[in-house]
Amino acid sequence: MIWFRRDLRLGDHPALLAARGEADEVLGLFVLDDALWGPSGPNRRAFLAAALRDLSERMNGRLVVVHGDPVTEVPRVARAVQATGVHVSADYGPYGAQRDERIAKALETVDVPFVRTGSPYAVAPGRVTKDDGTPFKVFTPFSKRWIAHGWRAPATTPRSVSWASFDGRTHAVPEVDPDAALPAATEAAAKKRWKQFLDSSDGGVQHYATLRNDLAGDRTSRMSPYLKWGLVHPRTLLADLPSGQGAHTYRNELCWREFYADVLWHAPSSARSNWNDSYDAMRWDTGRDADARFAAWAAGRTGYPVIDAAMRQLLAEGWMHNRARMLVASFLVKDLHVDWRRGARHFMQHLVDGDLASNQHGWQWTAGSGTDASPFFRVFNPVGQGRKFDQDGDYVRRYVPELRAVAGASVHEPWTLPGGVPPGYPEPIVDHAEERQDALERYQAMKG
């Protein structure tokens, strides 16, 4: 029996190979767990549901889907089919690791082994440490050790698997209407997107180092939703990367994903708390005014065009350019003085690629409270950042229709136009220079 989780594919799947090597027939299981399904938001739920339907189709309709607590449901199904073992890709998240320990103990009572083979990472969290065995707190030395550690080659894809049927209680894959237009959630779509990124002559991996921050051009790989749900394994991507600076930069981005997973593995509480607890003393705004500012930020109506374009991209696509993620996080934390956790929750409700480790620690990077964090006194200027990474204003015009008639880079400062801000678009809700100074004063007060 194989229990699928964040590995919804048949290719490069060591746990599947282990299950197939153990028995003539393999039962494929997925558990709809309310502890994970509920907080996911409609975009991730819709993408997951579509991925499950594709996986089941590739399994000749034999994927077994059940609904409930995995600690109860996995042993129930294992007993019903007299499984000789339950195979999984190891889960290193705070919830998943604890859940798996409980399931392993429950399976022991019925003499069924719980077998972990592989993980969602090229190098599993906890494998890369300093010489003294302690975890890395800074990315660059972690990345050097990560590369030196290396990773296995992609696993072979089985030519065929005899999928077992199940006569017990099951659950249909839910139909979910997403809030946004999402990419196709199939293993084939993941492979196609990756091939396009590798083969593109004007904006793919070869030019990734120089063009990845171009907001309007969007030269990113867009592989994050597929990595989130395991429609492709990072080991596969790493094996395909060519030589050159673009590939080196892209490999570093994959390494950031693994670094944050490692940080969360060693400090599970950092999913909800400041990794650097000295930031517990930071003063955040709350109350009616803070709520109104947060609502304006979430709706893309702050009056700062690049911020609004990014937030509207999130609403329209369930995804946001990585450079834009940093900008909107800085604006919420340092211009609006709202706790990073509130922004992180909003992202997790809307992002199709919402990954707990990457999301929470990406936010803490901006807020200054995480490992290897950006210093709090680094406050992004939304106008300057817009002019730098959206030089002609095309990104803003794409997502902010009220400003489509404004030509060139002047779109980043619509309040300076001869006729003032175009109808329907808001004036800036805050003065950046004033809020930057306020943020620095709060930082100094926190330091005591």
Side-chain angles (χ1 to χ4, degrees), residues 52-113:
L52 290 174
R53 284 191 286 271
D54 175 66
L55 179 62
S56 184
E57 182 177 336
R58 299 187 66 209
M59 295 168 58
N60 303 318
R62 292 292 182 87
L63 178 65
V64 176
V65 178
V66 299
H67 180 202
D69 183 349
V71 178
T72 302
E73 293 301 307
V74 172
R76 176 180 73 85
V77 176
R79 287 193 301 269
V81 298
Q82 298 182 330
T84 56
V86 173
H87 291 261
V88 298
S89 301
D91 192 327
Y92 289 88
Y95 169 77
Q98 293 180 7
R99 173 206 59 205
D100 284 359
E101 288 302 315
R102 294 169 62 201
I103 290 174
K105 291 179 180 178
L107 289 171
E108 281 181 6
T109 65
V110 291
D111 199 26
V112 177

Side-chain angles (χ1 to χ4, degrees), residues 22-368:
E22 182 179 292
D24 294 333
E25 286 191 318
V26 177
L27 184 84
L29 174 71
F30 186 87
V31 182
L32 287 169
D33 180 358
D34 288 334
L36 298 175
W37 180 263
S40 290
N43 293 331
R44 266 188 296 151
R45 289 197 291 264
F47 191 88
L48 168 58
L52 290 174
R53 284 191 286 271
D54 175 66
L55 179 62
S56 184
E57 182 177 336
R58 299 187 66 209
M59 295 168 58
N60 303 318
R62 292 292 182 87
L63 178 65
V64 176
V65 178
V66 299
H67 180 202
D69 183 349
V71 178
T72 302
E73 293 301 307
V74 172
R76 176 180 73 85
V77 176
R79 287 193 301 269
V81 298
Q82 298 182 330
T84 56
V86 173
H87 291 261
V88 298
S89 301
D91 192 327
Y92 289 88
Y95 169 77
Q98 293 180 7
R99 173 206 59 205
D100 284 359
E101 288 302 315
R102 294 169 62 201
I103 290 174
K105 291 179 180 178
L107 289 171
E108 281 181 6
T109 65
V110 291
D111 199 26
V112 177
F114 188 67
V115 185
R116 300 170 176 91
T117 308
S119 78
Y121 305 102
V123 181
R127 295 276 180 87
V128 174
T129 62
K130 299 178 186 178
D131 291 339
D132 63 2
T134 60
F136 285 98
K137 301 176 183 179
V138 178
F139 172 74
T140 299
F142 173 89
S143 68
K144 292 178 180 178
R145 187 64 59 89
W146 179 78
I147 291 169
H149 180 284
W151 40 83
R152 295 183 179 183
T156 59
T157 300
R159 292 184 179 179
S160 63
V161 178
S162 180
W163 296 107
S165 59
F166 180 66
D167 297 328
R169 186 178 72 251
T170 60
H171 188 88
V173 176
E175 294 289 341
V176 182
D177 291 326
D179 289 336
L182 305 180
T186 68
E187 189 173 350
K191 293 178 180 177
K192 180 180 179 181
R193 177 60 198 170
W194 179 237
K195 187 175 188 302
Q196 290 172 341
F197 182 64
L198 289 177
D199 295 346
S200 175
S201 61
D202 62 350
V205 68
Q206 297 291 352
H207 301 280
Y208 184 75
T210 54
L211 298 179
R212 66 193 176 106
N213 283 315
D214 177 5
L215 291 173
D218 189 11
R219 266 75 171 210
T220 63
S221 72
R222 294 264 188 158
M223 293 301 295
S224 54
Y226 301 116
L227 286 167
K228 160 63 185 176
W229 290 113
L231 295 170
V232 66
H233 196 280
R235 176 179 50 234
T236 304
L237 309 189
L238 288 163
D240 287 344
L241 285 175
S243 59
Q245 186 57 44
H248 172 77
T249 302
Y250 190 82
R251 183 178 63 183
N252 262 4
E253 293 303 310
L254 293 175
C255 186
W256 271 106
R257 176 177 180 267
E258 308 225 339
F259 174 59
Y260 283 150
D262 189 76
V263 172
L264 186 61
W265 164 250
H266 287 287
S269 64
S270 64
R272 302 287 181 264
S273 304
N274 291 315
W275 181 88
N276 180 348
D277 60 12
S278 67
Y279 277 76
D280 292 349
M282 178 64 73
R283 178 170 62 87
W284 303 111
D285 286 354
T286 58
R288 184 177 300 175
D289 288 345
D291 290 347
R293 288 181 173 187
F294 179 84
W297 174 84
R301 294 196 55 82
T302 68
Y304 285 93
V306 76
I307 302 300
D308 294 340
M311 296 306 296
R312 296 187 194 189
Q313 181 183 26
L314 176 62
L315 296 177
E317 300 175 9
W319 186 88
M320 188 191 295
H321 192 288
N322 186 61
R323 169 58 57 174
R325 296 187 198 203
M326 290 189 282
L327 300 185
V328 301
S330 177
F331 190 83
L332 183 70
V333 170
K334 298 172 183 178
D335 285 73
L336 304 186
H337 316 296
V338 173
D339 191 331
W340 66 266
R341 280 159 283 218
R342 193 168 182 182
R345 284 194 298 271
H346 182 79
F347 267 31
M348 290 296 282
Q349 277 293 309
H350 292 276
L351 284 172
V352 66
D353 64 2
D355 175 88
L356 186 67
S358 294
N359 186 66
Q360 306 306 90
H361 284 280
W363 273 90
Q364 292 208 57
W365 181 90
T366 298

